[in-house]
């Protein structure tokens, strides 16, 4: 039972990490494209050259460069901006999935330590009635949803950021 749960947890971590990296790359590319296609001022030419160098060095990611949206900060309801925010939300979801897998692994590690301690205590007492499999069958794993960490990890910092921005504006 614990082996299956560990396998699920590792899959959550791997899927969350790999897909999260892809979303992060798309977000960075979108940001660079936004800077490249917007007028910056007197620093415009050196920054555009730097972005051009990054693009030329990452031609193996050309398909991602083509699909990375260009957000328009003047019009947040434009297609590029909406796609940018959708990618941000997907990135957060994959990071929550990865975090859920890590939390599940920590819980399983503690449970395995408790099983080993219980087996050791029973062997010291000479009472070997419960085998490891029997102990594992008797364990109820807490149901955990990957959205359980959403508030602490993402909503709370967002609310604090909004409050700080409003304080800065009004003070």
């Amino acid at each position: 039972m614990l082996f299956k749960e560990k396998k699920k947890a590792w899959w959550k971590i791997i899927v969350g990490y790999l897909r999260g990296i892809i979303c992060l790359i798309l977000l960075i590319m979108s940001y660079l494209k936004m800077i490249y296609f917007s007028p910056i001022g007197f620093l415009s030419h050196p920054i555009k050259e730097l972005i051009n160098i990054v693009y030329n060095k990452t031609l193996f990611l050309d398909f991602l460069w083509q699909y990375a949206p260009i957000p328009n900060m003047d019009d947040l309801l434009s297609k590029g901006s909406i796609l940018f925010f959708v990618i941000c939300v997907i990135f957060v979801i994959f990071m929550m999935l990865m975090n859920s897998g890590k939390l599940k692994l920590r819980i399983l590690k503690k449970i395995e330590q408790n099983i080993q301690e219980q087996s050791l205590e029973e062997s010291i007492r000479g009472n070997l009635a419960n085998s490891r499999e029997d102990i594992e069958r008797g364990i109820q794993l807490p149901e955990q949803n990957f959205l359980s960490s959403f508030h602490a990890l993402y909503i709370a910092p967002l609310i604090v950021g909004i409050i700080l921005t409003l304080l800065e504006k009004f003070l």
Side-chain angles (χ1 to χ4, degrees):
M1 180 179 103
L2 292 180
F3 178 74
K4 289 180 183 178
E5 293 296 323
K6 271 188 175 179
K7 192 174 178 181
K8 285 182 190 176
W10 276 109
W11 274 110
K12 282 183 178 181
I13 292 171
I14 291 169
V15 168
Y17 184 73
L18 292 178
R19 303 272 170 94
I21 291 293
I22 292 171
C23 288
L24 182 64
I25 290 171
L26 274 172
L27 290 173
I28 291 170
M29 288 176 173
S30 294
Y31 184 70
L32 290 175
K33 284 172 77 172
M34 179 186 72
I35 291 172
Y36 187 82
F37 292 116
S38 67
I40 299 174
F42 70 94
L43 291 177
S44 177
H45 185 68
I47 290 176
K48 286 185 178 184
E49 286 298 317
L50 184 63
I51 293 172
N52 194 19
I53 291 171
V54 170
Y55 173 74
N56 288 331
K57 295 288 182 182
T58 58
L59 287 178
F60 61 94
L61 297 174
D62 190 43
F63 62 98
L64 288 176
W65 279 106
Q66 291 175 1
Y67 290 115
I70 303 172
N72 184 0
M73 291 302 146
D74 295 331
D75 182 19
L76 294 179
L77 296 177
S78 68
K79 181 182 176 184
S81 296
I82 291 173
L83 286 175
F84 181 78
F85 291 124
V86 166
I87 293 171
C88 288
V89 169
I90 292 171
F91 174 72
V92 167
I93 289 171
F94 283 128
M95 291 298 104
M96 288 183 339
L97 185 66
M98 185 177 65
N99 187 37
S100 170
K102 286 181 180 180
L103 183 63
K104 185 70 127 183
L105 277 180
R106 268 189 252 130
I107 291 170
L108 290 173
K109 185 176 179 182
K110 287 180 184 178
I111 289 173
E112 281 187 350
Q113 288 174 349
N114 290 340
I115 289 174
Q116 288 176 352
E117 289 174 8
Q118 186 176 352
S119 297
L120 184 63
E121 288 173 1
E122 287 183 2
S123 67
I124 289 173
R125 282 189 250 141
N127 183 10
L128 296 175
N130 291 334
S131 67
R132 182 175 176 89
E133 292 80 23
D134 293 337
I135 296 171
E136 283 183 10
R137 270 189 245 121
I139 294 175
Q140 292 292 333
L141 290 174
E143 283 298 318
Q144 179 191 9
N145 191 350
F146 77 96
L147 294 174
S148 62
S149 62
F150 186 70
H151 179 268
L153 294 175
Y154 303 104
I155 298 295
L158 183 64
I159 291 171
V160 169
I162 291 171
I163 291 171
L164 290 176
T165 304
L166 291 174
L167 285 176
E168 180 184 338
K169 248 184 193 180
F170 294 121
L171 296 180

